[in-house]
Amino acid sequence: MSEKTCRVTFEPEGKTVYVPAGTTVYEATGEAGIIINSPCGGAGVCGNCKVAVMKGTYEQKGSERFITDSDLEQGTVLACRTRILSDCVIEIPLTSRLFEQKILTDGIEVQLKVSPNVQKVFITVDKPTLEDQRSDLDRVWDALGLGNPGPRVPVDVVRRLPEKLRKADYSTTIVLNMDEIIGIERGDQSDKLYGVAVDIGTTTVVGYLMDLKTGKQLAVSSQTNPQTSFGDDVISRIQYATTTKDGLDDLNERIVSCLNDIIANLAIQAGIEKKYIYEVTTTGNTTMNHLFLKIDPQNLSLHPYVGVIRSNMDTRSSLIGVNINRYGKVYTMPNIGGFVGGDTVAVILASGMHKSEELKFALDIGTNGELVMGNRERLISCSTAAGPAFEGARITCGMRASDGAIEKVLIADGGVQVNTIGNAKAIGLCGTGLIDAIAELRKAGVISKNGKMYKPDELPDSVPDYVRKRVVDHEKWGASFIITPADESKTGEAILLTQKDVRETQLAKGAMYAGYELLKKELGIADDDIHEVLLAGAFGNYIRRHQAKIIGLLPDIPTEKIKFIGNAAGAGAKMVLLSKEMRDEACHISQNTEYIELAVNTDFQRVFADSMFFPEALTNG
Ligand code: FES
């Protein structure tokens, strides 16, 4: 490969980066800090990373699969299949970008006694004299009243002790983490004690700044997980981490720097200094957990799907590179199994289902779907590859839930009405819009029970004219429904729901529903035995329950039994930040929640195939 350096300018923002000739456009966007929509992580199989090379020479291989010959001639290529050979100007269209999405930061609030792991104690120690020649540390231990020798002290903290004591006339604030002194501050700083709880989602990261004295939430900040540019799902990330040189370092640096940005933003919002943040608690799925701790996740994706760690970890912040007080701690919540992680532990903890007498079913439909069912007697969990379609991936006009996404579709009163996020002109279809569109077309008779979308000449007579005229036999996609005509969309192209989208949705909802059926079977219960269905996470919180039942994503149980519990994973991370007792409970949940690995479950394929059908009719409104 040539050593030549190429100047690459991305339009319309005009961002320029310099990369060696031979770099892919996809890699160059990463250098420029532009996140493009790349659900397959640059493997060339999703077709979502289309860009237009306006100037310059390049070499592409593999774009033909998704791009017509005439568009290829005009310079449209897949970013991940195209190598830059000279200075270039490249335009990234709206449809290929990953926008900041609607991020859910609210979770259920749980009342608990504030008893954090980190405590501050203000003490005044006796000054040394010829008559009292106790060492500095002996004086501190004696003043704390916890015995002598008292809590252990790392040597780098001890080194700072003489100066801290003498500069503040022997008045000092001791920071204790369980049985360890992790900080010594001059004078009385006992009212400044903060912590940050972070929910590290595969797609989004949300941080909460908490006052560890009062338990009050002081600020919230969130970002799209920057690892998203290496693939939407955990499998793509594991592949990147294990097959790319420095892949694990790369993914780890991105998530740590994302956390640091969030922490900096939280501190600014609340007007506090980061040095007074002494603890961070994190929750995430098992893969996110491994990547955050820079632990090789390879075996999670290989039979028999075993992670390096399951238990919680308690690490010094400086070892991970998290920018809080340098002696502060980072606590990662324990996991349950290979693909059910600390975020599910957090959902169970926050929802209280581990203490409930009644049977409950909680599901977090993220990029992966995590399911847990049971009560205080027994809890069983599993994970399904549910998310990509509901996050807009592998959907013809799919996009994430950000401005311009159609999030609601209603076919009624002689027309097709849509709502878009931010009331912007429509750009594409996000998960809730996808569910609505399919549910509405099922009701209108355009889609059959087995998921066939009828072509115009196959439509049943019952389909009204105003619906019929939007059904087309598209030259590329076959049977398709025009949700938004070209002249009404922001991209100038019609926003379609295609037969392929219906099939993708069937795969995603079928996997979720099969997980639900297998958990029920394992517990030996029926739909009627389930007291509540708890929907956690960003997507779950925005879906329309009735429509989700029509497409068979949610079970046909009375809608009032289906409850939204918001960002319960974030709520769980806050609970373990604020309370030592909650940490013990989280460990108990991790050790006692059973895990079913669907990949090796003999019933799964059969149940999955049955679950792909759409329900005939609902019995519970
Ligand atoms: S095809 Fe390029 S990122 Fe998927």
Side-chain angles (χ1 to χ4, degrees):
M1 201 63 68
S2 158
E3 287 303 305
K4 183 174 143 191
T5 297
C6 306
R7 180 179 199 268
V8 186
T9 305
F10 290 107
E11 298 292 2
E13 55 268 81
K15 267 195 182 166
T16 295
V17 286
Y18 293 86
V19 294
T23 302
T24 65
V25 175
Y26 180 70
E27 289 160 347
T29 56
E31 291 287 316
I34 297 170
I35 303 185
I36 59 177
N37 194 5
S38 53
C40 75
V45 295
C46 71
N48 283 16
C49 63
K50 289 176 195 152
V51 297
V53 185
M54 321 290 287
K55 261 192 215 160
T57 50
Y58 57 92
E59 178 187 66
Q60 81 78 26
K61 240 187 236 157
S63 301
E64 307 76 17
R65 198 168 152 200
F66 297 98
I67 295 169
T68 61
D69 288 349
S70 62
D71 284 349
L72 274 172
E73 271 165 34
Q74 303 290 319
T76 301
V77 288
L78 291 183
C80 68
R81 301 291 98 190
T82 304
R83 294 192 181 277
I84 295 159
L85 300 180
S86 73
D87 293 351
C88 283
V89 177
I90 299 170
E91 184 176 322
I92 306 176
L94 278 175
T95 44
S96 299
R97 288 172 183 266
L98 195 62
F99 293 95
E100 285 300 315
Q101 61 172 342
K102 212 156 83 167
I103 290 173
L104 187 67
T105 53
D106 294 334
I108 35 181
E109 295 301 331
V110 181
Q111 291 298 327
L112 48 84
K113 191 172 126 249
V114 179
S115 59
N117 237 29
V118 187
Q119 311 268 353
K120 273 188 169 180
V121 184
F122 172 64
I123 52 171
T124 302
V125 305
D126 302 331
K127 290 182 189 172
T129 60
L130 279 177
E131 290 73 38
D132 177 4
Q133 291 187 316
R134 286 174 298 157
S135 73
D136 288 349
L137 184 55
D138 281 324
R139 275 163 215 287
V140 168
W141 276 338
D142 290 342
L144 279 174
L146 297 172
N148 189 341
R152 65 205 159 83
V153 199
V155 69
D156 48 351
V157 174
V158 173
R159 284 184 194 129
R160 306 169 74 214
L161 180 58
E163 180 212 332
K164 296 278 178 190
L165 281 181
R166 284 163 183 81
K167 284 211 168 147
D169 202 22
Y170 293 87
S171 293
T172 186
T173 300
I174 300 297
V175 188
L176 285 161
N177 180 285
M178 303 293 281
D179 56 352
E180 185 182 8
I181 293 176
I182 60 166
I184 299 166
E185 294 173 353
R186 261 191 251 163
D188 186 0
Q189 308 291 349
S190 55
D191 60 336
K192 296 176 189 149
L193 181 60
Y194 308 103
V196 175
V198 189
D199 170 22
I200 305 178
T202 312
T203 309
T204 58
V205 184
V206 186
Y208 305 86
L209 178 67
M210 309 297 291
D211 185 323
L212 298 185
K213 281 280 179 191
T214 63
K216 259 182 74 180
Q217 181 171 305
L218 303 176
V220 183
S221 176
S222 56
Q223 279 192 18
T224 297
N225 186 332
Q227 296 174 342
T228 306
S229 45
F230 300 105
D232 265 8
D233 54 35
V234 292
I235 297 296
S236 320
R237 309 267 174 96
I238 295 172
Q239 264 164 7
Y240 183 81
T242 52
T243 59
T244 311
K245 184 172 177 291
D246 301 329
L248 178 57
D249 290 354
D250 210 354
L251 289 173
N252 172 261
E253 274 162 28
R254 288 195 187 228
I255 191 58
V256 171
S257 98
C258 171
L259 241 74
N260 285 335
D261 287 349
I262 285 176
I263 291 168
N265 184 281
L266 290 169
I268 291 168
Q269 278 187 54
I272 64 146
E273 291 178 71
K274 282 190 291 181
K275 67 178 182 184
Y276 294 120
I277 300 176
Y278 274 96
E279 188 157 47
V280 170
T281 56
T282 72
T283 187
N285 62 49
T286 315
T287 307
M288 291 304 109
N289 207 281
H290 278 58
L291 296 176
F292 174 59
L293 294 171
K294 214 201 284 185
I295 295 174
D296 186 353
Q298 183 176 25
N299 292 317
L300 284 170
S301 65
L302 303 173
H303 190 273
Y305 316 108
V306 170
V308 178
I309 48 160
R310 187 180 85 146
S311 57
N312 59 289
M313 296 285 283
D314 215 348
T315 318
R316 197 187 259 197
S317 59
S318 52
L319 272 180
I320 303 185
V322 172
N323 290 338
I324 56 171
N325 185 291
R326 59 204 272 229
Y327 301 104
K329 297 280 183 175
V330 176
Y331 170 91
T332 53
M333 287 187 74
N335 302 301
I336 292 173
F339 287 100
V340 178
D343 47 358
T344 302
V345 172
V347 168
I348 297 170
L349 182 69
S351 67
M353 58 192 295
H354 62 302
K355 294 188 201 155
S356 161
E357 209 165 308
E358 283 115 6
L359 284 161
K360 296 188 180 184
F361 169 53
L363 70 165
D364 189 342
I365 314 172
T367 311
N368 288 291
E370 278 112 24
L371 284 58
V372 56
M373 189 182 282
N375 60 6
R376 65 184 185 195
E377 305 292 328
R378 190 177 176 202
L379 283 171
I380 312 183
S381 64
C382 67
S383 162
T384 66
F390 297 127
E391 303 223 340
R394 296 176 210 153
I395 298 300
T396 312
C397 298
M399 66 180 287
R400 291 177 188 277
S402 52
D403 280 355
I406 295 172
E407 56 93 18
K408 182 173 184 178
V409 179
L410 183 66
I411 299 178
D413 303 330
V416 176
Q417 289 144 35
V418 301
N419 278 1
T420 59
I421 295 176
N423 280 327
K425 264 190 147 186
I427 299 172
L429 196 60
C430 69
T432 51
L434 177 71
I435 293 174
D436 273 6
I438 295 177
E440 292 291 292
L441 290 173
R442 265 291 287 148
K443 287 191 273 182
V446 177
I447 296 173
S448 75
K449 177 178 171 7
N450 69 10
K452 177 181 166 61
M453 186 186 274
Y454 296 114
K455 290 184 178 170
D457 58 351
E458 299 168 334
L459 284 167
D461 293 343
S462 57
V463 176
D465 279 350
Y466 73 93
V467 175
R468 186 175 289 272
K469 69 182 187 203
R470 288 190 181 232
V471 179
V472 294
D473 187 2
H474 192 275
E475 58 169 355
K476 183 168 179 193
W477 303 113
S480 303
F481 182 80
I482 301 172
I483 299 173
T484 302
D487 57 354
E488 292 173 24
S489 80
K490 180 154 182 176
T491 58
E493 287 179 24
I495 296 171
L496 305 172
L497 180 86
T498 67
Q499 174 69 76
K500 171 181 153 294
D501 302 337
V502 179
R503 296 295 182 215
E504 286 289 349
T505 307
Q506 285 180 281
L507 288 173
K509 76 104 187 169
M512 287 292 290
Y513 203 84
Y516 167 74
E517 286 291 334
L518 290 172
L519 290 181
K520 259 187 346 181
K521 184 176 170 217
E522 195 66 34
L523 284 171
I525 61 168
D527 285 350
D528 289 349
D529 296 319
I530 294 175
H531 186 74
E532 269 179 351
V533 173
L534 307 173
L535 293 176
F539 179 62
N541 218 50
Y542 296 115
I543 59 180
R544 276 168 282 282
R545 294 167 291 179
H546 186 70
Q547 303 284 59
K549 288 198 311 187
I550 290 176
I551 73 158
L553 171 64
L554 292 179
D556 182 14
I557 67 171
T559 305
E560 64 276 11
K561 284 189 172 184
I562 304 174
K563 308 257 164 71
F564 298 111
I565 56 170
N567 185 1
K574 284 191 253 179
M575 290 166 75
V576 296
L577 177 67
L578 293 177
S579 158
K580 288 193 287 276
E581 289 72 32
M582 290 300 123
R583 278 181 207 208
D584 294 341
E585 274 191 34
C587 284
H588 182 79
I589 291 168
S590 153
Q591 282 159 4
N592 292 289
T593 303
E594 296 165 48
Y595 172 62
I596 303 179
E597 178 55 69
L598 294 184
V600 294
N601 187 292
T602 47
D603 282 342
F604 181 71
Q605 284 308 329
R606 182 186 52 76
V607 180
F608 176 44
D610 288 348
S611 302
M612 297 241 291
F613 288 100
F614 293 120
E616 198 73 75
L618 299 182
T619 49
N620 290 295

